[in-house]
Structures are given as structure tokens and as C-alpha cells.
Amino acid sequence: MTLFGIQILRAAAALMVVWHHARHESGMMAARGAGPTLDPGTLLPWWGGVDLFFVISGFVIVHASGRLFGAPGGRARFLAHRVARVVPLYWLVSLIVLALAIARPDWLGEAAALVREPGTILAGFLFWPAARPDGTIQPLYGLGWTLNYEVFFYGLFALGLGFGRRGAVAWLALALVLLVSVGALVPALPVPVRFWANPIVLEFLVGAGLALAHREGLRPGSGVRLGLGVMGLLGLALAARLLGDDGSADGVLRPLLVGLPSALLVTAALGPARDAAQVAALPALTRGLVILGNASYALYLVHPFALRLGREALLRLGLVPVLHPWGSVVVMLAGSVAAALLVHRFVERPLSRWARDHLDPGAAQNRVRPVPAPVPTGPRAD
């Protein structure tokens, strides 16, 4: 059974991030004299797709781990599946970025300097927060900063799996609130602790709390969900006006102004679960968004490559003045979606399945059940 509304939100979160970065590529084209800069105003905080992802992640991890709470080997199985889901594609794109940093450092700007910092590069592959020479806590592949938070959350959650669902969420609340409090009160913390103590981690906790409430019987009606969705969008619109276009906010402002509206949207998405046949019967657009939600991780990781390839193609073909900035951004967005769907189907899924089968052999045995041999009905040949 699928909460298809959550899958659609995953697609929306990824598209928000892609749109945010596509606008930057539009600015790059304008700087090269290919047309005006795209200026759609501050309708929504497009960078807030990350915050929406964090709330969804907190929800999904608690919601989908029902059979693992208190089960023997539950922690190991959870971590094996998370590693299989997150690591292979991230390592692949990070290796591509590393190869580019060595072969064409002029393409990567300041990030190319990290080739002289092997410790920082290794830390990025291990999801360990480390500072670049300029002080930015970011891995070689810049988008990986969000995965450093994700993997930290997975580790905390795994520790709480033995406490049952309620106990695990209580453990997350205690650990994350304490960590954020320490970050606010204690100066000069070590880099990893300072990174993890960012109040943005509370967005995972909000999502986990929603999952617990859903399991305990939270089933808002369609009218309530519509109202929550409208409130969430209005809250995000307000955040865009207050926080601006770069998402920079100190302390708890970002989780308050973006995380809480994101939680309203997640709550609004808690409609009835559908099985595969019911999802297949949805309208084409809705079904397409569900499919894109399944590919949202690939979209998040590969879209910078697709956007830059699209930018260079449009510039070299002289299409930017014809398409205007809006048309150029839409073309780059469509290219990113197409690339993500292909990568999800032919790269991410096979890699994740291979990793899961090796890290958790029991999963492969449960997925592939041998078909019994037919019972002979005639006389034996011997």
C-alpha cells in the first residue's frame, strides 16, 4: 500500500530544488549575454524543498519501519537497507565530480581545490561533516550536505529501534532537542557536532512525530487536509518573503518558517493508502508525479549535471533568446526530469538492489521465492 500523496510531495520537494538551481543557471546565461535574467519574484522558497524533504524523511523512516521495532536484527536490517538506498548513487556521482575536479578543475570553481584535501574528500564519502578550506561545512559534491544530515538521522533512529515505535520517537525527541540546545549554548563545538546541532534537524523530528500520530490513528478528512495544504502553502509564501532567495536564516527561524509549513503539507498528504492497482488507475498527471516521487532521490542528485548540460546546449544552439528565460528554464527542468527517470530506472534501482541483496541476503530470499517443480502425473520414464 502506498501513501501516494507523500510520493507526490517527494516529487514536489525535488522539483522545488531543481527550479531553484535552474534559476541560477538562467542567471549564468544572462551573464554571458544570452538574454535577461529570470526574476519570478518570491512566490515560494524554492530552496525549502530541502526542508520538505527532511520532514518527509522523518515521516517515512518511522512509518515504514513497523516490522523492525524491537525485532531481532532490526537495527542491522534497517541500516543495511538505508545504506543500499543512499550510498551507491551518491558515491557514483561523487566519483564523477572527483574525476571532473582532477581533469577539469576550471569547471568546478572553488570545489576543485578539495583535490588537495584528501581527508575532506574521504569524509564526504563517509557522510562525516568536514570543513572546506574556506570554512564551509560541505563535501566535494555540494548537495551532499543534506545527506550528512540524513545519515546522522538514520544512525540516531537505529539506536532507538529497540524501544518500540513510541520509544524510538521519544528517543529522537530527547536526542535532537538536547543536541540543538547544546549547539545554542556551547560555543566552539567540534565541526561535526556544530553541524549536527543546527536546528534544521528538528524537521526530521516533526516528520517522525507525524508518522507516530498517523500510526496512532491520525486520519484527517479531505476538507481538513485541503485546509492544511492551503495553510502550508501560505506559510511557505510568507517564509519566502521573510527569508529571501537564499534560505539563510539563523537559529530556529528556518525550521519554524519553512519546516512547520512543510509539516502541514505532509499532514495534508495523509490521505487513504492505495495499492498498486489503485495507483495505476490514477489520472495520468497524478500517476506521473507518483513515479517522479519514486525517482526523487535520483532527481536531487543528478539535476546539477542535467541543468549545466542543458545550459551549454541552449547557449551553443543559440536558443536562449528564442526561448526567453522562462522557456530555457522549463527546457532545463524537463531535461533534468528525463535524466532522473532514466538514472532511477537503469542505474539507481539496479545498484540499490545489488547492495541490498549483499548487505541483507534475507531480503533477496524473501523477494525471490522458488517456484515448486511440477508434480509428475504420468508414469516414470525409469
Side-chain angles (χ1 to χ4, degrees):
M1 301 294 284
T2 300
L3 290 171
F4 76 95
I6 297 295
Q7 292 299 93
I8 291 174
L9 272 188
R10 290 176 63 188
L15 289 172
M16 287 174 68
V17 176
V18 178
W19 183 261
H20 176 62
H21 291 150
R23 292 168 59 202
H24 173 73
E25 297 300 328
S26 173
M28 296 286 289
M29 291 189 291
R32 290 165 64 172
T37 303
L38 176 65
D39 183 19
T42 55
L43 178 62
L44 289 176
W46 305 110
W47 44 266
V50 168
D51 303 73
L52 183 54
F53 262 131
F54 284 176
V55 177
I56 294 171
S57 182
F59 177 90
V60 169
I61 291 303
V62 174
H63 178 78
S65 300
R67 297 181 179 179
L68 301 178
F69 288 107
R75 289 187 179 94
R77 173 160 288 191
F78 169 77
L79 291 174
H81 285 218
R82 287 295 91 198
V83 168
R85 178 74 175 86
V86 171
V87 170
L89 186 60
Y90 178 67
W91 278 8
L92 178 60
V93 296
S94 295
L95 286 172
I96 293 173
V97 173
L98 179 58
L100 289 174
I102 296 171
R104 293 299 304 265
D106 54 307
W107 287 2
L108 296 183
E110 295 179 359
L114 286 180
V115 297
R116 299 189 294 272
E117 303 284 341
T120 303
I121 292 177
L122 179 60
F125 277 90
L126 297 177
F127 305 96
W128 187 262
R132 291 182 174 188
D134 64 358
T136 305
I137 305 176
Q138 201 172 51
L140 174 65
Y141 189 44
L143 291 182
W145 72 269
T146 64
L147 297 181
N148 288 352
Y149 282 120
E150 288 273 358
V151 171
F152 173 69
F153 172 69
Y154 297 157
L156 276 184
F157 178 75
L159 291 175
L161 265 173
F163 306 145
R165 182 178 285 107
R166 293 179 182 177
V169 175
W171 153 250
L172 288 174
L174 175 64
L176 291 177
V177 170
L178 180 61
L179 180 62
V180 170
S181 300
V182 169
L185 297 174
V186 180
L189 288 168
V191 167
V193 180
R194 175 158 47 94
F195 179 83
W196 294 325
N198 190 309
I200 201 172
V201 298
L202 297 176
E203 295 172 348
F204 293 107
L205 177 58
V206 172
L210 284 176
L212 178 60
H214 184 65
R215 285 289 185 175
E216 296 285 339
L218 175 64
R219 299 292 189 276
S222 57
V224 174
R225 289 190 287 111
L226 177 60
L228 291 173
V230 171
M231 290 173 59
L233 290 174
L234 291 176
L236 290 180
L238 176 63
R241 292 188 172 276
L242 294 177
L243 300 181
D245 196 41
D246 60 357
S248 59
D250 296 327
V252 298
L253 278 181
R254 180 163 178 169
L256 277 176
L257 295 176
V258 186
L260 290 183
S262 297
L264 293 177
L265 292 176
V266 172
T267 310
L270 298 180
R274 308 288 182 95
D275 59 25
Q278 291 171 323
V279 171
L282 292 171
L285 177 59
T286 304
R287 190 168 64 252
L289 288 173
V290 172
I291 293 171
L292 186 57
N294 294 333
S296 58
Y297 183 56
L299 179 57
Y300 180 73
L301 286 181
V302 307
H303 79 267
F305 299 95
L307 288 178
R308 291 173 189 179
L309 285 172
R311 178 192 71 195
E312 291 303 314
L314 291 172
L315 285 170
R316 293 172 187 269
L317 293 173
L319 294 177
V320 178
V322 178
L323 294 173
H324 200 264
W326 282 101
S328 299
V329 168
V330 170
V331 168
M332 289 189 292
L333 185 68
S336 298
V337 169
L341 292 173
L342 290 172
V343 168
H344 173 67
R345 174 64 180 85
F346 296 106
V347 180
E348 180 190 2
R349 285 173 56 185
L351 281 177
S352 294
R353 187 181 299 113
W354 176 85
R356 186 169 59 251
D357 291 348
H358 282 75
L359 294 171
D360 182 16
Q365 295 173 4
N366 291 334
R367 188 175 66 248
V368 181
R369 292 185 173 89
V371 178
V375 178
T377 55
R380 293 180 60 171
D382 57 352

